Amino acid sequence: MVGRDQAAPPADQLAAMDLTDAVQNHAFSDRVLIRSIVGRPDGGAGLAGQRVRAAGWVRTGREQGKGTFAFLELNDGSCPANLQVIVDAGVAVLSKLVATGTCVVVDGILKVPPEGTRQRIELRVEKVVHIGEVDPAKYPIPKTKLTLEFLRDHLHLRSRTNTIAAIARIRNALAFATHSFFQEHHFLYVHTPILTTSDCEGAGEMFQVTTLISEAEKLEKELIKNPPPSEADIEAARQLVSERGEAVKQLKAAKASKADIAASVAELNKAKESLSKLEERSKLKPGIPQKDGKIDYTQDFFARQAFLTVSGQLQVETYACAVSNVYTFGPTFRAEHSHTSRHLAEFWMVEPEIAFADLQDDMSCAEAYVKYMCKWLLEKCLDDMEFMAKNYDKGCIDRLRMVASTPFVRISYTEAVELLEEAVRGGKKFENEVEWGIDLASEHERYLTEVKFQKPVIVYNYPKGIKAFYMRLNDDLKTVAAMDVLVPKVGELIGGSQREERYDVIRERITEMGLPLEPYEWYLDLRRYGTVKHCGFGLGFERMILFATGIDNIRDVIPFPRYPGRADL
């Protein structure tokens, strides 16, 4: 349920605020951020007596003193805490201010409230500058507790709730942390394409991008409005070309003037052009163009099949093999008809690639990156994390602290399977059977992280049959140099590998997996010309937010979730 209690400012934990007497307006707005008042270590008490302009949306409002004044809890999204605002009836019509969702801009004086109250500071309003009214009877986000499922039906308004706003700030902090981590370690940020002609995973569950359908619909309408020429029309045009050609011949035979011949030739060319257009138009047929019984993609926008990317990895490797350390961070897409709480059709991936590095380096980078993000949230977003701990997952802050400070366990896939088999022999029941060669299920991953080790685990050297073609084949010829970072709460958080840099081996792997070579010729060129040992991984950004916040459903940690049957806004 979505709690609406005001989160008290964590006095000793928030980022250090300016404790000088003057509170500053936002650089690009004529107002003071609520965070810069209530987020100070003193909760804003040191600002008493200052005149400020505050703005935001009313979380809760109530008239008091038989309608002589009103209390408003105002929030502008800058922090989870609200600013208490007191408005006298002589300043504004109170009934227009108190409805949840109302937008207000107010000028007033900051005052210390009476002893015994929860707030450290409140704003006594002198002037109401703006009111964006709300009809409480129609507003879909009332101040009562609302389920996250309910809020998914109101995507355009759900960010006004405490929960979704807190998740948005946590998401923002993790994105900032991501760029900070890789920039500090001298990685180059590369924008990889969203439209692609290659399938990184070889899974085939891709969204196709085509203009053939819209072009076919457009042509169909146009042909109804302006039907193609008949055979008789074309024959008449051919006859005209013949007649015009004959006229030119006769003028030349009669040694007519150059001007007359030129005029006749111009008429002939005009007739030929008209015939060409008619013949071309006669070939137009309704429907999607086909060739040899298959869709003719040479007629499509890119003259070949195109898709929404499932990963930027292959493309970003081209830069890793030139400028060494790179990363991409962007949306990826999977046309998988899955309705689980862990799957989205559109999600964000962080994908670094490191040149002159092997699997051990890859695991070290992944571990350092996850720890960095956990520390970042603890240092810079603790007020929002405390809100999540209070309302959703009591252990989320302890989990972040544990991950930030604990070395990750590293075990081979074979060792992981042996531990799971040992658990089964000891009476543990798994829904998915455990045997060497399986792709570990979420229940297996969570057993290892939550029960066996009670900390993050990196599993490496997976069977080649369950991993992608680009992962480096180990000397045993059975496993590949792949690794997954598993964490409590969500299971797999990161998947990565050392990439196969040997031309002959990767070519054979592509063929072995039944993939066509032609779309990957450019990828093979990276091995033909100046090949280099390199590695990388992908982190599912929404999964990191699930891990951090303790939220159960991935649809609640992305602003505009896309999944089968839903693509609102």
Side-chain angles (χ1 to χ4, degrees):
M1 304 293 278
V2 181
R4 291 199 170 269
D5 290 342
Q6 174 174 340
D12 57 339
Q13 307 276 3
L14 282 176
M17 298 284 177
D18 183 5
L19 288 180
T20 57
D21 288 336
V23 62
Q24 300 297 314
N25 272 6
H26 185 271
F28 309 113
S29 178
D30 184 21
R31 67 184 174 101
V32 172
L33 290 181
I34 288 174
R35 182 182 183 88
S36 65
I37 299 172
V38 301
R40 293 159 49 103
D42 65 357
L47 299 173
Q50 286 198 36
R51 277 191 165 80
V52 298
R53 172 169 289 180
W57 288 265
V58 174
R59 284 286 194 261
T60 63
R62 64 189 188 279
E63 292 185 41
Q64 295 281 97
K66 297 182 179 177
T68 57
F69 67 96
F71 284 115
L72 308 179
E73 294 287 339
L74 203 62
N75 191 286
D76 64 359
S78 60
C79 65
N82 302 324
L83 175 64
Q84 180 163 283
V85 173
I86 300 173
V87 190
D88 288 329
V91 175
V93 179
L94 301 183
S95 59
K96 291 185 177 183
L97 297 172
V98 294
T100 295
T102 301
C103 179
V104 298
V105 180
V106 291
D107 292 340
I109 301 176
L110 292 169
K111 294 194 173 181
V112 176
E115 278 188 36
T117 56
R118 191 175 45 174
Q119 291 78 15
R120 311 273 284 279
I121 196 76
E122 62 189 19
L123 182 65
R124 296 294 182 101
V125 174
E126 296 178 317
K127 181 183 178 184
V128 175
V129 179
H130 166 78
I131 304 174
E133 290 185 57
V134 161
D135 180 349
K138 295 179 181 176
Y139 187 54
I141 312 291
K143 66 180 179 182
T144 53
K145 288 187 176 182
L146 304 165
T147 65
L148 292 171
E149 289 83 358
F150 173 84
L151 291 175
R152 282 179 222 140
D153 292 329
H154 299 87
L155 291 184
H156 59 303
L157 293 171
R158 72 173 183 169
S159 52
R160 294 190 184 187
T161 63
N162 293 335
T163 296
I164 301 301
I167 292 168
R169 287 186 293 269
I170 290 167
R171 186 182 178 101
N172 171 72
L174 288 171
F176 197 162
T178 292
H179 288 297
S180 296
F181 175 82
F182 289 112
Q183 294 299 324
E184 285 172 18
H185 289 91
H186 310 292
F187 281 68
L188 194 71
Y189 179 34
V190 177
H191 296 139
T192 50
I194 287 173
L195 294 173
T196 181
T197 53
S198 59
D199 178 358
C200 173
E201 302 295 335
E205 295 167 334
M206 303 178 78
F207 286 103
Q208 191 168 343
V209 177
T210 180
T211 59
L212 289 178
I213 296 169
S214 58
E215 289 296 323
E217 288 173 347
K218 196 191 302 178
L219 176 62
E220 199 169 322
K221 287 176 185 173
E222 207 274 327
L223 288 176
I224 292 169
K225 190 177 175 183
N226 187 8
S230 63
E231 274 299 321
D233 293 334
I234 295 170
E235 190 52 47
R238 285 185 185 134
Q239 185 63 35
L240 183 60
V241 169
S242 178
E243 288 170 4
R244 294 283 158 83
E246 191 59 39
V248 171
K249 279 184 191 175
Q250 287 176 5
L251 286 171
K252 286 181 177 178
K255 296 185 178 176
S257 69
K258 282 184 179 179
D260 288 345
I261 292 172
S264 187
V265 167
E267 288 293 324
L268 172 61
N269 287 340
K270 191 176 176 183
K272 282 180 176 177
E273 189 181 338
S274 180
L275 172 61
S276 176
K277 284 181 179 176
L278 284 173
E279 285 178 332
E280 195 63 37
R281 190 165 172 74
S282 71
K283 294 174 187 173
L284 294 177
K285 291 176 183 167
I288 293 172
Q290 297 211 337
K291 188 176 181 182
D292 302 327
K294 295 179 181 176
I295 294 172
D296 183 7
Y297 286 106
T298 62
Q299 304 300 310
D300 208 347
F301 189 91
F302 296 108
R304 62 193 300 182
Q305 275 187 287
F307 308 91
L308 294 179
T309 185
V310 296
S311 167
Q313 180 211 311
L314 300 190
Q315 289 87 350
V316 89
E317 275 189 61
T318 66
Y319 274 73
C321 295
V323 296
S324 300
N325 298 339
V326 296
Y327 71 105
T328 186
F329 179 13
T332 53
F333 307 85
R334 194 69 60 87
E336 189 178 349
H337 280 276
S338 175
H339 290 272
T340 75
S341 61
R342 291 286 180 272
H343 288 87
L344 288 167
E346 178 183 347
F347 51 98
W348 285 62
M349 292 288 290
V350 179
E351 298 174 291
E353 286 290 322
I354 318 167
F356 310 103
D358 60 18
L359 185 64
Q360 292 299 321
D361 300 313
D362 204 31
M363 291 190 281
S364 297
C365 180
E367 180 172 344
Y369 170 43
V370 172
K371 286 183 171 179
Y372 187 96
M373 286 192 288
C374 292
K375 287 176 185 169
W376 188 282
L377 288 181
L378 291 168
E379 290 171 8
K380 302 181 190 292
C381 220
L382 190 60
D383 49 356
D384 285 306
M385 288 307 307
E386 286 175 336
F387 174 86
M388 300 312 297
K390 179 182 176 183
N391 292 283
Y392 290 96
D393 184 352
K394 285 186 285 189
C396 65
I397 292 175
D398 289 339
R399 191 164 59 242
L400 289 179
R401 287 190 176 126
M402 179 271 290
V403 172
S405 60
T406 308
F408 292 11
V409 174
R410 297 187 186 186
I411 57 173
S412 71
Y413 169 87
T414 300
E415 290 170 321
V417 169
E418 287 170 356
L419 289 172
L420 292 168
E421 286 175 334
E422 188 181 298
V424 170
R425 286 194 295 273
K428 173 69 180 170
K429 286 186 167 55
F430 292 113
E431 286 183 22
N432 299 274
E433 193 178 344
V434 177
E435 61 179 354
W436 198 96
I438 62 158
D439 199 357
L440 297 182
S442 179
E443 60 175 336
H444 303 141
E445 295 166 346
R446 292 185 67 173
Y447 171 80
L448 292 170
T449 58
E450 295 171 16
V451 180
K452 180 65 183 174
F453 294 107
Q454 297 180 5
K455 64 179 74 171
V457 178
I458 303 179
V459 179
Y460 61 92
N461 289 347
Y462 279 79
K464 70 174 185 177
I466 59 172
K467 290 294 181 182
F469 70 87
Y470 49 74
M471 299 186 177
R472 195 180 200 278
L473 191 62
N474 288 326
D475 293 341
D476 62 9
L477 304 182
K478 292 179 180 177
T479 61
V480 289
M483 66 91 182
D484 286 346
V485 178
L486 315 179
V487 294
K489 183 75 182 171
V490 298
E492 184 191 335
L493 180 63
I494 285 176
S497 71
Q498 184 174 338
R499 313 312 188 190
E500 183 56 79
E501 84 281 9
R502 297 164 294 184
Y503 171 77
D504 292 339
V505 178
I506 194 166
R507 196 177 188 280
E508 189 178 321
R509 286 281 286 147
I510 292 172
T511 308
E512 195 179 279
M513 296 186 78
L515 296 169
L517 283 169
E518 189 274 327
Y520 298 102
E521 282 299 330
W522 64 269
Y523 190 67
L524 292 171
D525 276 351
L526 302 178
R527 279 74 180 166
R528 286 189 186 101
Y529 312 122
T531 191
V532 62
K533 174 176 72 174
H534 63 289
C535 61
F537 61 80
L539 172 134
F541 194 59
E542 284 74 28
R543 287 197 172 195
M544 181 63 204
I545 303 168
L546 288 178
F547 164 73
T549 61
I551 291 290
D552 288 324
N553 198 308
I554 200 166
R555 297 170 185 180
D556 301 318
V557 298
I558 190 168
F560 306 101
R562 272 82 178 95
Y563 46 96
R566 295 297 289 267
D568 299 349
L569 278 62

